[in-house]
Amino acid sequence: MRDPSTPRQQEVLLATPSELRDRIRQLGKPAARADDPRLAQVHAILSELGAQPGPLLPVLHAVQDAFGCIPPELVGPIAEGLNLSRAEVHGVITYYHHFRSEPAGRHVLEVCRAESCQAMGSEALWHEACAGLGLPAGGGTTVDGALTLEPVYCLGLCAQSPAAMLDGHPHARLDTGRMSSLVARSVEAA
Ligand code: FES
């Protein structure tokens, strides 16, 4: 089999059957009911941003800022408002790691898994963090909602690899000890 050439292809190939089932379930979720109060906010966002060129990303950012995630049941109304298919909107949401379908934990730790960081040992750090937090190999949110661990593909800190971002603050030249203390600090502070 040909080697996967992009992080997204790698992620799809590395996804467990239950993660893939989850993604299919998200796409199959029904649209929000007409009396859902979130729809008014989505319509306000669409009227503010929907007419500009290339509106999908700004709309998705605004929806995630409003609700902490892009709830799957709002994908239909967003698609309809922008004259796109649900699959197109879903494809963009799943392509960009920044977008999430469920709210994040109280802290978010993004670990860089791109080439430069990989070359400096980020894969081992990633897997140790997943195992230490009891999360699957693809990361996720701890059961107590304290921490979301997710991959990111380059933080612009390649010269100081391996790197990570905790709640928007960069941390560079990580090793096992520094990564464990980042994880422990965020779980304790949650
Ligand atoms: S590859 Fe990790 S910061 Fe660029």
Side-chain angles (χ1 to χ4, degrees), residues 112-118 153-159 161-163:
C112 181
R113 300 182 71 188
E115 286 77 3
S116 171
C117 285
Q118 273 193 34
Y153 294 93
C154 198
L155 291 164
L157 294 167
C158 314
S161 300

Side-chain angles (χ1 to χ4, degrees), residues 41-113:
Q41 220 166 328
V42 169
H43 290 145
I45 290 168
L46 287 168
S47 357
E48 188 192 337
L49 304 171
Q52 68 183 53
L56 180 54
L57 286 177
V59 165
L60 293 178
H61 278 287
V63 170
Q64 181 152 298
D65 287 347
F67 304 114
C69 66
I70 301 170
E73 58 278 18
L74 295 182
V75 169
I78 293 169
E80 206 175 304
L82 296 176
N83 209 16
L84 297 170
S85 70
R86 284 184 64 186
E88 284 171 300
V89 176
H90 183 76
V92 171
I93 293 169
T94 52
Y95 181 79
Y96 291 104
H97 283 280
H98 173 74
F99 296 126
R100 57 182 90 254
S101 296
E102 289 173 357
R106 294 183 286 286
H107 297 281
V108 177
L109 178 59
E110 298 167 281
V111 177
C112 181
R113 300 182 71 188

Side-chain angles (χ1 to χ4, degrees), residues 110-152:
E110 298 167 281
V111 177
C112 181
R113 300 182 71 188
E115 286 77 3
S116 171
C117 285
Q118 273 193 34
M120 296 301 284
S122 70
E123 285 303 277
L125 296 178
W126 168 264
H127 289 296
E128 278 168 28
C130 288
L133 290 163
L135 295 172
T141 300
T142 54
V143 280
D144 60 0
L147 180 67
T148 294
L149 177 70
E150 53 192 26
V152 67

